[in-house]
Amino acid sequence: MKKRVTIQDLAKELGTTPSTVSRALRNHAAISKSMKKRVIELAKKRNYQVNAMASGLRVGKSKTIGVIVPRINRDFFSNVIAGVEDISFESGYTVVICQTHDRFEKEKQYINTLIGSGVGGILVSVSLETTTFEHFDEVNRLGIPLIFFDRVSTNSSINKIQNNDKVGAYKAVCHLIDNGYKKIAHFSGPEHLNVYKDRKDGYLEALEKNGIAINDAFIVHHDLKIEDGRKDMQRLMESKNPPDAIFSSSDYSALGALLYLKENGFSVPNDVGVVGYSNEKFTALTSPGLTSVDQHGSEIGQYAAKVFLEEINNKGKKVPRTIILDPNLIIRNSSNRKLDK
Amino acid sequence: MKKRVTIQDLAKELGTTPSTVSRALRNHAAISKSMKKRVIELAKKRNYQVNAMASGLRVGKSKTIGVIVPRINRDFFSNVIAGVEDISFESGYTVVICQTHDRFEKEKQYINTLIGSGVGGILVSVSLETTTFEHFDEVNRLGIPLIFFDRVSTNSSINKIQNNDKVGAYKAVCHLIDNGYKKIAHFSGPEHLNVYKDRKDGYLEALEKNGIAINDAFIVHHDLKIEDGRKDMQRLMESKNPPDAIFSSSDYSALGALLYLKENGFSVPNDVGVVGYSNEKFTALTSPGLTSVDQHGSEIGQYAAKVFLEEINNKGKKVPRTIILDPNLIIRNSSNRKLDK
DNA sequence: TTGAAAGCGCTAACAA
DNA sequence: TTGTTAGCGCTTTCAA
């Protein structure tokens, strides 16, 4: 169990000093070509690996980006992460992935851990349970670049990368209306999260614009899990006035609804239309395929990383950026009804 | 943009020294109760966060575990990660997740980055492209605990947590035979990976034990993606001697096969039976549901983290552990044929 | 173009 | 039970 090779070891072996080696390794302008060559060759030969803790301690931060997401096994978030990795890799940043499992406490802990580990910046999509944002104060106080994506803080003076969820929902509901559905219910999540609020607004606007009265009984708030969708679909279908379509803010509760309907003899899309949100991979595999809204995960991740790099480069200047993408409706058979004219 | 609070700040404010504060924060036995109380209270009040870079530099390593997986959006791997998080969290370790996207180069880079960042240990499931293991030499040389899981090195003197893939495959193929399938083809991955080799061995053994001749044309090696499964299923079905069932080492290529069959008028399971591997969530959602083999992702992750913690505690003593779990066959309709007697 | 020296924040051996 | 001191490996200012 030998010790790791340090800059000192290299300097000694080359008959020079740590500062020169350090500069050579980082391609400093003042170092001669020949010295750089010697240093880099020896470093490779000795399998030298820069000690990120020492370097980070010295410069006050490390070359890592922390990404905090609710869950990594959602296609949207894993696409975001891949997008972040693409961009940050080119600039020599390592991505540290943290999943909160939608718990507020976990989110706070990760923020503190990331601060403590000296991350260069933090990209975050907040947990379902997050209603307050004081835990980000310290990040700002320390001047650590902070970029929200998807589920963002309502504070306007922050960096955020979002989908236009209202437009996504609007497109989805108009599509249902175009297919002849008139009694469209909606599964929504906690309203303190912008994404669910905006999708609900899109739903409401689509109904209004098309002259369809809003029925409060058709608006259901739950945690958007498969079982939530199943249970609430059952409740709605067993009610006196059942809906003829469901627009869910999540593919998961849409899936629950779809499963309930199929298991109970309803035809989808003929009896009931179903539309989800996020375009999870499984939406292409259900029978019928589940219409959904694609959120450009990879692009969101790339933008988030780019905004981070901008912040790093314009250090000092604070010009919060907001980037909003228009999501795409992906039409599958769960909502594609043959209209009987 | 104020500086972060340090141990020195706390010491000054309390009229004591950094070492006392440091010890109090880590609950050192020699510090009085009253001092601990004062320190901890002030730390909380000032929102003190230990500087992991300074601490790590001092003790030679950080309280993080690096987990390297091929992809985070596979249910198996995200379950493993959740398992690792469960255990390591209790011991104050942070989990750093790295995905190689099945690239050897990425794997090497992450190993070096993790070494450089001073991780306490590394848990790894190697990439599809990994055929050599020299990139782990430095990890061992530095005495950093290294635990392989699922896709492991063939070296015997290492820690590894695995499923018994041979048994999993054996169960799957026997199940097909029990359902009357006689011409069972197999999709396999690169043979240098233990998991694919073992699953193939299980497949071969099941055929032999049941007196079914092995047909080399039924054994297909590819990259196990959806498109691979689709293409090779087409090739097999269009051949002179098509199979009546497929056992795939991956749910993804099994899905490809299933889609091809459905799109081309074959009945699954009546004409052709299909069994996959890994019990991805989507296997419950296809029509028919895809029979698959569950690999206990969460348990694997928990064991891996536990073995890591053991290594840390028995520092010096090297007693490589091997833990092998028996996977479960999850029977769904893609292989559940009504036998016509 | 290179070197000397200081110090980032923390921990631990040794001292009191 | 607490304090003093040195130093982990690196970067950077200042000097040469």
Side-chain angles (χ1 to χ4, degrees):
Chain A
M1 195 195 308
K2 274 189 285 181
K3 283 307 299 169
R4 59 188 66 193
V5 179
T6 72
I7 251 180
Q8 312 244 16
D9 301 329
L10 300 183
K12 204 167 292 173
E13 193 166 345
L14 289 167
T16 180
T17 60
S19 16
T20 301
V21 173
S22 169
R23 285 190 272 242
L25 288 171
R26 280 167 307 125
N27 202 25
H28 191 289
I31 301 294
S32 67
K33 282 230 171 64
S34 62
M35 179 57 97
K36 277 181 189 164
K37 187 152 173 285
R38 291 176 62 213
V39 169
I40 287 163
E41 270 173 9
L42 185 67
K44 189 161 288 173
K45 192 168 154 203
R46 293 275 167 272
N47 200 10
Y48 169 78
Q49 191 63 38
V50 58
N51 183 324
M53 294 180 294
S55 144
L57 176 60
R58 180 58 232 254
V59 302
K61 66 185 174 197
S62 72
K63 285 214 106 183
T64 59
I65 307 181
V67 180
I68 302 179
V69 294
R71 328 191 96 95
I72 56 174
N73 65 350
R74 296 288 194 260
D75 286 316
F76 171 65
F77 290 119
S78 66
N79 288 337
V80 170
I81 290 167
V84 172
E85 285 174 338
D86 290 345
I87 301 301
S88 55
F89 176 73
E90 299 163 11
S91 349
Y93 276 87
T94 306
V95 177
V96 173
I97 306 165
C98 309
Q99 58 176 339
T100 61
H101 295 279
D102 269 320
R103 312 307 301 268
F104 179 63
E105 277 308 314
K106 279 274 180 190
E107 185 170 300
K108 281 211 296 195
Q109 280 161 3
Y110 275 123
I111 290 289
N112 286 332
T113 307
L114 290 176
I115 290 175
S117 77
V119 283
I122 297 177
L123 318 183
V124 59
S125 189
V126 302
S127 86
L128 266 189
E129 296 179 353
T130 302
T131 56
T132 61
F133 294 86
E134 283 91 38
H135 52 308
F136 294 108
D137 289 352
E138 183 75 2
V139 180
N140 288 321
R141 206 182 59 77
L142 294 169
I144 298 172
L146 177 64
I147 293 105
F148 288 85
F149 62 89
D150 192 52
R151 299 180 183 175
V152 308
S153 159
T154 47
N155 186 329
S156 63
S157 65
I158 55 167
N159 294 296
K160 43 189 169 184
I161 324 289
Q162 301 176 258
N163 281 288
N164 192 327
D165 288 287
K166 190 168 170 184
V167 164
Y170 184 86
K171 283 183 185 174
V173 175
C174 286
H175 157 76
L176 283 168
I177 295 169
D178 288 348
N179 278 266
Y181 299 102
K182 297 202 156 33
K183 297 160 69 179
I184 303 170
H186 177 45
F187 289 163
S188 183
E191 285 233 29
H192 61 266
L193 286 183
N194 60 301
V195 293
Y196 301 122
K197 169 114 179 36
D198 292 350
R199 290 172 201 172
K200 183 172 152 189
D201 287 348
Y203 159 81
L204 295 173
E205 186 170 317
L207 294 185
E208 274 170 23
K209 285 251 173 87
N210 286 277
I212 298 181
I214 285 150
N215 178 348
D216 282 342
F218 281 173
I219 301 176
V220 178
H221 287 86
H222 59 211
D223 270 358
L224 300 168
K225 299 216 173 77
I226 294 179
E227 278 317 304
D228 298 316
R230 199 190 280 269
K231 253 182 271 172
D232 281 317
M233 197 71 218
Q234 173 168 23
R235 196 171 51 69
L236 287 170
M237 294 313 290
E238 289 174 351
S239 72
K240 272 165 278 177
N241 179 29
D244 64 0
I246 182 85
F247 164 59
S248 171
S249 270
S250 154
D251 284 331
Y252 287 87
S253 64
L255 173 63
L258 180 63
L259 293 174
Y260 168 80
L261 292 167
K262 281 172 61 181
E263 287 158 11
N264 289 275
F266 294 98
S267 157
V268 177
N270 291 322
D271 297 334
V272 184
V274 181
V275 174
Y277 212 104
S278 288
N279 198 25
E280 290 281 332
K281 245 183 287 156
F282 71 75
T283 55
L285 301 176
T286 52
S287 301
L290 182 59
T291 296
S292 191
V293 180
D294 185 75
Q295 299 184 95
H296 311 296
S298 173
E299 287 81 354
I300 295 256
Q302 292 183 16
Y303 277 120
K306 281 177 189 162
V307 170
F308 160 73
L309 292 172
E310 280 177 22
E311 281 250 330
I312 288 285
N313 297 333
N314 307 358
K315 58 185 86 182
K317 278 179 273 173
K318 279 282 243 178
V319 189
R321 302 258 275 129
T322 296
I323 295 175
I324 300 180
L325 307 183
D326 262 14
N328 286 337
L329 182 67
I330 310 291
I331 298 172
R332 300 197 179 87
N333 287 328
S334 66
S335 60
N336 227 354
R337 177 154 74 166
K338 325 272 172 304
L339 289 174
D340 31 354
K341 314 209 169 153
Chain B
M1 196 195 310
K2 274 190 283 179
K3 282 308 298 170
R4 59 189 67 195
V5 179
T6 72
I7 250 179
Q8 312 244 16
D9 301 330
L10 300 183
K12 203 167 291 172
E13 192 165 346
L14 289 167
T16 179
T17 60
S19 20
T20 300
V21 173
S22 168
R23 285 190 272 243
L25 288 171
R26 282 168 305 129
N27 201 25
H28 191 288
I31 301 293
S32 68
K33 283 229 170 66
S34 62
M35 179 57 96
K36 277 181 190 167
K37 187 154 173 283
R38 291 176 60 212
V39 169
I40 287 163
E41 269 173 9
L42 184 67
K44 190 162 288 173
K45 192 168 154 201
R46 294 273 166 275
N47 200 10
Y48 169 78
Q49 192 63 37
V50 58
N51 183 324
M53 293 181 294
S55 153
L57 177 60
R58 180 58 231 251
V59 301
K61 65 186 175 198
S62 71
K63 285 214 105 184
T64 58
I65 307 181
V67 181
I68 303 179
V69 293
R71 328 192 96 95
I72 57 174
N73 65 350
R74 297 289 194 259
D75 287 316
F76 172 65
F77 290 119
S78 66
N79 288 337
V80 170
I81 290 166
V84 172
E85 285 173 339
D86 290 344
I87 301 301
S88 55
F89 176 72
E90 300 163 10
S91 349
Y93 276 86
T94 305
V95 177
V96 173
I97 305 165
C98 310
Q99 58 176 338
T100 61
H101 295 279
D102 269 320
R103 312 307 301 266
F104 179 64
E105 277 307 316
K106 278 274 181 191
E107 186 170 299
K108 282 212 294 195
Q109 281 161 2
Y110 275 123
I111 290 289
N112 286 331
T113 307
L114 289 176
I115 289 174
S117 77
V119 282
I122 297 177
L123 317 184
V124 57
S125 190
V126 301
S127 86
L128 266 189
E129 295 180 352
T130 302
T131 56
T132 61
F133 294 86
E134 282 92 38
H135 52 309
F136 294 108
D137 290 352
E138 184 75 2
V139 180
N140 288 319
R141 207 181 61 76
L142 294 170
I144 298 172
L146 177 64
I147 293 106
F148 288 86
F149 62 88
D150 192 52
R151 300 178 181 176
V152 307
S153 160
T154 47
N155 186 330
S156 63
S157 65
I158 55 167
N159 295 295
K160 42 188 169 186
I161 323 290
Q162 300 177 259
N163 282 288
N164 192 327
D165 287 287
K166 191 168 169 184
V167 164
Y170 185 86
K171 283 183 184 173
V173 175
C174 285
H175 157 77
L176 283 168
I177 294 170
D178 288 348
N179 278 266
Y181 299 102
K182 297 201 157 32
K183 297 160 69 179
I184 304 170
H186 177 47
F187 290 163
S188 183
E191 285 234 28
H192 61 267
L193 286 183
N194 60 301
V195 294
Y196 301 123
K197 169 113 179 36
D198 292 350
R199 290 173 200 171
K200 183 172 152 190
D201 287 348
Y203 160 80
L204 294 174
E205 186 170 315
L207 294 185
E208 273 169 23
K209 284 251 173 89
N210 286 278
I212 297 180
I214 285 150
N215 178 348
D216 282 343
F218 280 175
I219 300 175
V220 178
H221 288 86
H222 60 213
D223 271 358
L224 300 168
K225 300 215 172 78
I226 294 178
E227 278 317 304
D228 299 315
R230 198 190 280 269
K231 253 181 269 172
D232 280 317
M233 197 71 218
Q234 173 169 24
R235 197 170 50 69
L236 287 171
M237 295 313 289
E238 290 175 351
S239 71
K240 272 165 277 174
N241 180 29
D244 64 1
I246 183 84
F247 164 60
S248 171
S249 271
S250 154
D251 284 332
Y252 287 87
S253 64
L255 173 63
L258 180 64
L259 294 172
Y260 167 79
L261 292 167
K262 281 172 61 181
E263 287 158 11
N264 289 274
F266 295 98
S267 158
V268 178
N270 292 321
D271 299 333
V272 183
V274 182
V275 174
Y277 212 104
S278 290
N279 198 27
E280 289 282 333
K281 244 183 287 152
F282 70 74
T283 56
L285 302 175
T286 54
S287 301
L290 183 58
T291 297
S292 191
V293 178
D294 186 75
Q295 300 183 96
H296 310 296
S298 174
E299 287 82 352
I300 296 257
Q302 293 182 15
Y303 276 120
K306 282 178 188 162
V307 170
F308 160 73
L309 291 173
E310 281 178 22
E311 281 249 331
I312 288 285
N313 296 333
N314 309 356
K315 59 185 85 181
K317 279 180 274 174
K318 277 283 241 180
V319 190
R321 304 255 276 126
T322 297
I323 294 175
I324 300 180
L325 307 182
D326 261 15
N328 286 337
L329 182 67
I330 310 291
I331 298 172
R332 299 195 179 88
N333 287 330
S334 66
S335 60
N336 228 355
R337 177 153 75 165
K338 324 275 174 299
L339 289 173
D340 31 354
K341 310 214 169 148

